[in-house]
């Protein structure tokens, strides 16, 4: 079997991240996000990796499903950018369940042969 290209690995990582968000799978969430990961929400609020994962596990961020519409991936050596557009159904920060057209612009780094997310900026499209 042929090894996956960097772009294929990154696309898989994006899908794994969303599956883990829905499943509240902290093992996968910890694996795909670098320790120095920071998420910038649409509101401008920043969350560290630890705060983000805690918000998923304690129900502050409840994800129900994600349908991926588009992924644009640019790789430059051990760094990459992924802009993903997905229809995400979630209930966040005490609000009701809603479906968003969510765009995540993610920065990645390849460390020890593994891609990880280092930064994410959420917006809508």
């Amino acid at each position: 079997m042929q090894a996956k290209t960097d772009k294929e690995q990154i696309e898989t990582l994006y899908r794994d991240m969303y599956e883990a968000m829905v499943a509240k799978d902290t093992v996968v969430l910890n694996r795909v996000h670098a320790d120095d990961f920071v998420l910038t929400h649409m509101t401008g609020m920043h969350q560290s990796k630890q705060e983000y994962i805690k918000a998923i596990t304690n129900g502050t961020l409840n994800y129900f499903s994600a349908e991926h519409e588009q992924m644009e991936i640019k790789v430059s050596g051990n760094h990459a950018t992924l802009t993903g557009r997905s229809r995400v159904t979630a209930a966040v920060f005490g609000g009701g369940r809603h479906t968003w057209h969510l765009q995540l612009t993610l920065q990645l780094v390849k460390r020890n042969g593994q891609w990880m997310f280092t930064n994410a900026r959420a917006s809508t499209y």
Side-chain angles (χ1 to χ4, degrees), residues 2 14 50 90 118:
Q2 187 174 357
Y14 181 77
Q50 294 76 18
T118 58

Side-chain angles (χ1 to χ4, degrees), residues 34 36 78-80 107-111 114-118:
D36 57 351
N78 287 330
H79 296 273
Q107 303 300 316
L108 298 95
V109 67
K110 192 174 194 179
R111 295 181 182 149
Q114 298 295 315
W115 287 103
M116 290 184 271
F117 298 113
T118 58

Side-chain angles (χ1 to χ4, degrees), residues 97-112:
R97 186 173 174 147
H98 184 74
T99 300
W100 283 271
H101 287 77
L102 187 64
Q103 178 170 296
L104 280 182
T105 302
L106 296 143
Q107 303 300 316
L108 298 95
V109 67
K110 192 174 194 179
R111 295 181 182 149
N112 301 317

Side-chain angles (χ1 to χ4, degrees), residues 39-52:
L39 167 64
T40 304
H41 288 269
M42 287 179 262
T43 61
M45 181 182 87
H46 291 81
Q47 280 185 311
S48 68
K49 173 184 176 175
Q50 294 76 18
E51 293 167 334
Y52 175 59

Side-chain angles (χ1 to χ4, degrees), residues 23-63:
K24 300 183 185 303
D25 185 337
T26 58
V27 172
V28 172
L29 291 169
N30 273 297
R31 176 177 53 81
V32 302
H33 295 93
D35 288 341
D36 57 351
F37 173 81
V38 175
L39 167 64
T40 304
H41 288 269
M42 287 179 262
T43 61
M45 181 182 87
H46 291 81
Q47 280 185 311
S48 68
K49 173 184 176 175
Q50 294 76 18
E51 293 167 334
Y52 175 59
I53 292 173
K54 182 179 177 184
I56 290 172
T57 58
N58 73 16
T60 300
L61 301 174
N62 279 306
Y63 295 95

